[in-house]
Amino acid sequence: MSVLEDYKGQIPAWCPGCGNFGILKAFKEAMVELGLEPHQFTIVSGIGQAGKFPHYLKCNTFNGLHGRTLPVATGMRLANHEMLVIAVAGDGDCYGEGGNHFIHAMRRNINVKLFVHDNQIYGLTKGQASPTSLEGMITKNQPFGVFSEQLNPIAIAVANDCSFIARSFAGDTLHLKEIIKEAIKHKGFSLVDILQPCVTFNKINTYEWYNQRIYKIEPEYNPENRIEAFKKALEWGEHIPIGIIYKNRRPILEERIPIIKDNPLVKQPVDLSVLDNIMKEFF
Ligand SMILES: Cc1ncc(C[n+]2csc(CCOP(=O)(O)OP(=O)(O)O)c2C)c(N)n1
Ligand code: SF4
């Protein structure tokens, strides 16, 4: 059985008070409570403050390009669908640069767990607006306020029939830990949008701002009802629901691909002569 100390990575370079610390704490506790060892999973990230997340853990990691977290995670899963693959991304990384990949990973139902550190700002590059920044928010690059409407990742996910959709809050690590555990246990693509205060560049969506608005989804709510999930997805502003918003049991991608369905690619014999012949065609 693993203990918290097993997951200790580098010392985080995040600002004191950053919401990412709550995510790191909840994540480590979730892994220990799930009985997972650091070698049993891989974390893939892109670029950003959220992209540094795997550096602060001990486990298998791959740090890719900005916005390209999900293609790498998809490749890993297709190569070895016996490995638990976790993708972490910032809201800019996932919904901006990586927006197209976000849509197609959900559509394919690749069995990857995606945790989005949604601070509604570009943190690492010092405060430009991101897709989830509030309309009208003044940033260093938007001195007259953000002109675009805020993107709604939960509604996009419900529209895409995403297999598991949840929202949690970095300031409530107990709630977040339970949601992370549920997302990992779920079979299929899991999205957890984590509201994460950026105490340095986002002076609007603070811990206090969230605490005044967040409420936990009622126990009697049925997360398998897609229409009700749409209604929850549209709740934002004065009342922001956190918890499991939607889940379904769609077939996952690797079960649909005959060549890897029964045997992961990494365990299949390789005939190198085929590769040699392909190479000869080019040289
Ligand atoms: C293709 C590309 N565009 C832009 C950048 C510059 N860049 C690095 S981090 C970043 C913003 C990251 O913001 P977000 O994904 O929201 O993560 P956060 O830092 O807030 O966790 C940008 C624009 C880059 N590295 N690569
Ligand atoms: S800039 Fe914001 S997101 Fe980045 S470490 Fe500081 S508080 Fe966290």
Side-chain angles (χ1 to χ4, degrees):
M1 289 290 280
S2 62
V3 292
L4 286 176
E5 197 62 19
D6 295 337
Y7 286 97
K8 200 171 173 196
Q10 296 172 27
I11 295 168
W14 293 319
C15 311
C18 174
N20 281 324
F21 286 102
I23 303 177
L24 190 61
K25 178 178 188 293
F27 182 83
K28 285 185 195 170
E29 289 175 358
M31 299 317 258
V32 169
E33 288 182 23
L34 286 171
L36 286 162
E37 307 281 338
H39 69 272
Q40 289 177 312
F41 62 95
T42 299
I43 302 195
V44 186
S45 71
I47 302 296
Q49 300 286 17
K52 297 180 195 167
F53 187 80
H55 305 184
Y56 307 145
L57 282 161
K58 196 162 83 182
C59 59
N60 304 304
T61 64
F62 188 99
N63 202 174
L65 298 174
H66 197 30
R68 303 294 173 260
T69 316
L70 286 172
V72 177
T74 302
M76 281 181 176
R77 214 33 224 192
L78 289 177
N80 184 6
H81 60 261
E82 286 177 350
M83 168 72 85
L84 169 61
V85 178
I86 293 168
V88 294
D91 43 297
D93 195 49
C94 187
Y95 306 140
E97 280 81 356
N100 193 26
H101 304 302
F102 174 56
I103 290 167
H104 293 290
M106 289 189 285
R107 182 173 68 87
R108 294 184 178 121
N109 201 20
I110 179 84
N111 197 357
V112 161
K113 316 295 147 199
L114 170 65
F115 300 117
V116 182
H117 301 210
D118 191 350
N119 54 18
Q120 297 172 250
I121 200 83
Y122 277 161
L124 190 75
T125 45
K126 304 194 174 354
Q128 302 87 358
S130 85
T132 53
S133 295
L134 292 176
E135 195 180 344
M137 180 182 190
I138 292 173
T139 73
K140 287 184 177 180
N141 272 24
Q142 284 83 15
F144 305 110
V146 175
F147 298 132
S148 312
E149 280 188 30
Q150 190 188 23
L151 178 135
N152 183 334
I154 304 287
I156 292 173
V158 177
N160 246 316
D161 206 18
C162 176
S163 189
F164 179 100
I165 308 168
R167 183 192 279 128
S168 191
F169 175 43
D172 185 345
T173 53
L174 275 180
H175 183 271
L176 179 56
K177 178 186 73 177
E178 293 305 324
I179 292 290
I180 290 173
K181 281 161 57 181
E182 291 303 314
I184 288 175
K185 283 190 279 181
H186 181 81
K187 188 178 173 189
F189 186 85
S190 300
L191 162 70
V192 184
D193 187 69
I194 306 167
L195 302 172
Q196 175 239 317
C198 168
V199 294
T200 304
F201 295 110
N202 185 341
K203 303 292 186 190
I204 294 179
N205 310 112
T206 59
Y207 286 98
E208 196 187 0
W209 190 93
Y210 288 122
N211 278 326
Q212 285 167 357
R213 289 164 175 80
I214 279 169
Y215 77 91
K216 291 194 175 106
I217 291 176
E218 313 77 17
E220 59 273 18
Y221 175 79
N222 175 12
E224 296 189 21
N225 183 326
R226 199 163 168 210
I227 299 295
E228 291 305 313
F230 246 122
K231 291 185 193 162
K232 279 275 180 248
L234 297 180
E235 284 184 37
W236 180 267
E238 290 311 302
H239 302 286
I240 302 174
I242 60 169
I244 300 172
I245 293 170
Y246 181 63
K247 59 181 177 180
N248 64 37
R249 297 183 197 89
R250 286 168 55 207
I252 56 175
L253 183 66
E254 50 259 28
E255 285 175 351
R256 295 181 190 183
I257 302 176
I259 197 161
I260 58 169
K261 191 169 169 280
D262 299 320
N263 199 12
L265 210 53
V266 285
K267 291 195 177 158
Q268 295 185 24
V270 183
D271 179 359
L272 288 176
S273 65
V274 176
L275 198 60
D276 279 350
N277 290 339
I278 294 171
M279 294 299 276
K280 276 177 198 149
E281 280 184 37
F282 291 94
F283 293 101

